[in-house]
Structures are given as C-alpha cells and as structure tokens.
C-alpha cells in the first residue's frame, strides 16, 4: 500500500457554483478538479471556482477539454495548481502538454499578467517558483495510450497519470465492463509500467463508495478522484428517498 502521506484524494466539480466547492472542500478532500470537458462551466466561472478551492487551503486542478494551448494557458493564468489533460495517446501528445504548460526555455508558454501572476505584481515570483510547481496529470483513457505508455512515462516533467476507466474500456469495445478479463489485464499492465517508471498512478472512482477507493490504494494508486459533485448529491437523495418511501408504504 502507498504511504498515507503520499495518497491524495480529490473529487470532480461539474456544477458552476462556489457553494458546491466550499461544501466539498470542507469535507476533507486534498484537491478538487474543475471539469471543463464534460460540463458547461466557462472560463470566468472556472477562475471563481479555482479561487474558492484555494481559499480553503487545498489544491485546485482543472481538467481541460482537450490538449489545447489556448484553454490550458487561460486556466494556468487563472491560477490552477495543476492541469489534467484528457485523451493522451502517445509521446507527442504528452510532450505537447509539457511544452504548453512550461515557460521557456523548457516550454513555450506565453506570458500573461493575470490572477496567477498577481495581476502583474507577483510575476517574478510566479515565474521562478509557483509556475515550476504546477502539476501535470495525463489522462490515460484509450487503449492506444496503454500501448505507448513506456514512451509517455519516459518524457519526465509530469506529476502523474490518471486512468479514465469508462473511456479506456470503451476504446476496447467494452464500455463500462470493468470486470471483463481483457480490461482487468490492461489495467494490470498500466500498473506494472507505471511502477517501473515510478510515476504516480491515478484513477477516477465514479461510484461514491469508499471501499472502491481503498481497493485502488491497496493496488498502489495514490492520486484518486473520488466520484463527483452530481453523483454524491444524486446518490444520497435517491437512497434516502427510497428508504423513506419504503417506510411510508
């Protein structure tokens, strides 16, 4: 099992209201991720959510919609502590992400004077210190990425990777069939290669059941997204109403 001090448990934010992240941050997560891929959250709202998350003393990640320079640059300038990039399939995709996120000479990130840089008054500190601590997490959610994983993990400068279980199984023609032997074997291959390269393994556990998170921790995963705002809300509403209706019969 990974050491407790290295385990980071966060969750996904898809609802664009600061109250949501305040409630979730107070629940004890280590980080929260604002999802720009599968939500209607816009850039302005994302910055507000990032600021709210950070005001609670935890890290604010953003899952961008694609490996796109404009989107990533705007979220970095909004002050994100880390960027999660979907559908990384090969070394070129990974290298592109690293280049976009880093200032020269490592990368090609352009200079802006926005919230991250203290609106221009903290730029030197941001450039020399804060920008170098931005966490790059690559989502491994396609079978092609598994085949190219050694090359992806060898580039350096990344904080870790994260399995997108549904899309990964879908790319194998078995969407959501997590108990399928082939899907299980592919995840084991991911784990083996990640451990060989000593790269932090991540996983998005969709169901709000803590035992599933513990299972991943036992397997060596240490960067875990535990469900998401809408599922947490929906599960408690549905379960408690179901129990109530039974009592009222």
């Amino acid at each position: 099992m990974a050491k407790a001090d290295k385990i980071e448990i966060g969750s996904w934010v898809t609802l664009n209201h600061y109250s949501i992240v305040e409630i979730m941050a107070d629940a004890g997560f280590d980080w929260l991720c604002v999802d720009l891929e599968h939500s209607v959250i816009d850039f302005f709202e994302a910055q507000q959510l990032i600021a709210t998350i950070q005001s609670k003393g935890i890290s604010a990640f953003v899952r961008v919609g694609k490996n796109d320079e404009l989107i990533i640059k705007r979220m970095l300038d909004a002050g994100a502590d880390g960027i999660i990039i979907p559908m990384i399939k090969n070394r070129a995709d990974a290298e592109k992400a690293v280049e976009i996120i880093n200032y020269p000479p490592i990368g090609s990130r352009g200079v802006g004077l926005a919230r991250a840089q203290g609106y221009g008054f903290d730029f030197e500190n941001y450039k020399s210190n804060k920008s170098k601590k931005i966490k790059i997490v690559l989502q491994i959610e396609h079978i092609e990425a598994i085949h190219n994983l050694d090359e992806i993990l060898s580039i350096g400068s990344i904080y870790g990777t994260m399995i997108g279980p549904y899309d990964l199984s879908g790319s194998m023609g078995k969407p959501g069939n997590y108990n399928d032997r082939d899907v299980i074997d592919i995840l084991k291959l991911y784990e083996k290669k990640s451990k060989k390269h000593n790269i932090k393994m991540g996983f998005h556990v969709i169901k709000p059941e803590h035992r599933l998170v513990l299972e991943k921790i036992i397997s060596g995963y240490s960067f875990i997204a535990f469900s998401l705002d809408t599922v947490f809300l929906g599960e408690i509403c549905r379960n408690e109403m179901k129990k109530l209706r039974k009592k009222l019969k």
Side-chain angles (χ1 to χ4, degrees):
M1 180 183 293
K3 292 182 179 179
D5 62 348
K6 293 184 178 180
I7 296 169
E8 299 169 274
I9 299 174
S11 192
W12 236 240
V13 176
T14 63
L15 300 174
N16 55 348
H17 200 284
Y18 68 89
S19 297
I20 299 294
V21 295
E22 286 186 319
I23 291 168
M24 295 182 75
D26 286 340
F29 291 105
D30 299 304
W31 54 271
L32 291 174
C33 177
V34 179
D35 184 18
L36 295 188
E37 184 180 17
H38 294 296
S39 79
V40 295
I41 296 172
D42 62 29
F43 293 146
F44 177 71
E45 291 165 342
Q47 178 167 288
Q48 292 180 311
L49 295 175
I50 290 168
T52 305
I53 293 167
Q54 292 169 338
S55 75
K56 291 292 186 175
I58 64 176
S59 297
F61 282 79
V62 175
R63 197 260 294 268
V64 293
K66 60 184 296 190
N67 195 6
D68 178 87
E69 181 177 6
L70 177 61
I71 300 171
I72 294 173
K73 179 165 56 177
R74 295 183 92 169
M75 289 302 96
L76 290 173
D77 287 344
D81 297 304
I83 301 292
I84 299 176
I85 303 153
M87 208 54 75
I88 297 295
K89 294 182 180 179
N90 50 51
R91 182 185 179 95
D93 289 344
E95 288 178 333
K96 178 182 177 182
V98 169
E99 180 177 352
I100 290 171
I101 289 171
N102 286 283
Y103 286 124
I106 297 173
S108 60
R109 179 182 172 186
V111 173
L113 301 178
R115 178 177 177 271
Q117 302 86 5
Y119 303 100
F121 297 97
D122 193 42
F123 175 71
E124 288 301 322
N125 177 45
Y126 180 80
K127 180 190 72 173
S128 302
N129 298 301
K130 294 180 181 179
S131 70
K132 295 178 180 178
K133 298 176 183 178
I134 292 168
K135 296 174 179 178
I136 304 172
V137 178
L138 308 178
Q139 277 203 280
I140 305 300
E141 48 188 350
H142 195 280
I143 188 64
E144 187 178 334
I146 300 294
H147 294 323
N148 295 321
L149 196 57
D150 281 317
E151 291 185 0
I152 292 171
L153 297 180
S154 68
I155 68 167
S157 300
I158 63 172
Y159 186 69
T161 63
M162 174 179 281
I163 290 288
Y166 198 95
D167 284 334
L168 177 57
S169 60
S171 73
M172 299 171 65
K174 302 177 180 183
N177 294 334
Y178 307 135
N179 294 322
D180 181 89
R181 186 72 255 170
D182 291 338
V183 175
I184 292 172
D185 287 345
I186 283 297
L187 287 176
K188 286 183 177 179
L189 181 59
Y190 163 79
E191 294 165 8
K192 180 181 178 180
K193 290 188 176 186
S194 296
K195 290 172 183 176
K196 182 182 75 173
H197 288 271
N198 196 29
I199 297 292
K200 185 181 284 287
M201 295 191 301
F203 199 95
H204 192 177
V205 175
I206 304 298
K207 290 185 178 181
E209 299 177 16
H210 74 276
R211 65 174 181 83
L212 299 177
V213 175
L214 291 174
E215 287 176 5
K216 291 303 175 186
I217 292 172
I218 291 170
S219 296
Y221 292 81
S222 57
F223 187 80
I224 301 171
F226 185 19
S227 200
L228 58 152
D229 49 11
T230 53
V231 174
F232 275 123
L233 176 62
E235 282 285 315
I236 192 67
C237 290
R238 290 165 184 259
N239 290 342
E240 292 306 310
M241 282 305 298
K242 186 183 296 182
K243 294 174 186 176
L244 180 58
R245 293 297 183 192
K246 285 183 179 180
K247 296 292 184 181
L248 293 175
K249 285 183 178 179

